[in-house]
Amino acid sequence: MAILSTGPIENNPVSGVRPTQQVTIRLVSRAAVNSVTVSVQGYVLSTTRTLYVSEVISMAPNEVVTRNYFADLDAFEFVFGTDVEGVEEVGISVWGKQASGQLVDAHRVVAHEKTVKDI
């Protein structure tokens, strides 16, 4: 299994408001024939690491899936799991958004910025 992680994302309040209130995750299947399954786990990071998002998403070939998750937290991390063969067939991007829906540049993670680990 291949594990991809955003790493810890700090989201401390600025003037009493956290920069990111919502995280949008976009998954893109580049598979021509086979379906791809991705496990999505979101963690609240404080004195402990607490799971708050757990979802398994199955995508058909060439399908795009978008999910929105709560992120009005001091710190968080998202971890994605897929088959080693499937890691090349899926594109994953993570976007922090303000309550208004505007993107937070500092909380944007695209494919080449994630940490990849084979298990």
Side-chain angles (χ1 to χ4, degrees), residues 6-110:
T6 61
I9 297 175
E10 189 174 317
N11 193 32
N12 290 325
V14 176
S15 299
V17 179
R18 289 185 186 90
T20 293
Q21 283 85 40
Q22 175 179 291
V23 168
T24 297
I25 294 175
R26 179 158 293 169
L27 306 169
V28 179
S29 170
R30 297 184 183 112
V33 179
N34 299 323
S35 64
V36 177
T37 301
V38 178
S39 165
V40 178
Q41 295 178 323
Y43 294 90
V44 177
L45 304 178
S46 59
T47 56
T48 60
R49 186 173 183 248
T50 306
L51 182 69
Y52 82 104
V53 170
S54 182
E55 184 173 7
V56 176
I57 300 170
S58 184
M59 297 184 301
N62 297 309
E63 183 179 8
V64 177
V65 174
T66 302
R67 294 287 192 270
N68 294 304
Y69 301 108
F70 176 82
D72 195 1
L73 308 161
D74 284 336
F76 56 89
E77 175 183 22
F78 278 86
V79 177
F80 307 92
T82 188
D83 293 334
V84 174
E85 301 82 32
V87 74
E88 296 298 323
E89 295 183 336
V90 66
I92 302 170
S93 60
V94 179
W95 303 87
K97 291 184 179 179
Q98 297 174 348
S100 65
Q102 184 162 345
L103 297 177
V104 177
D105 290 339
H107 296 164
R108 165 204 57 60
V109 182
V110 293

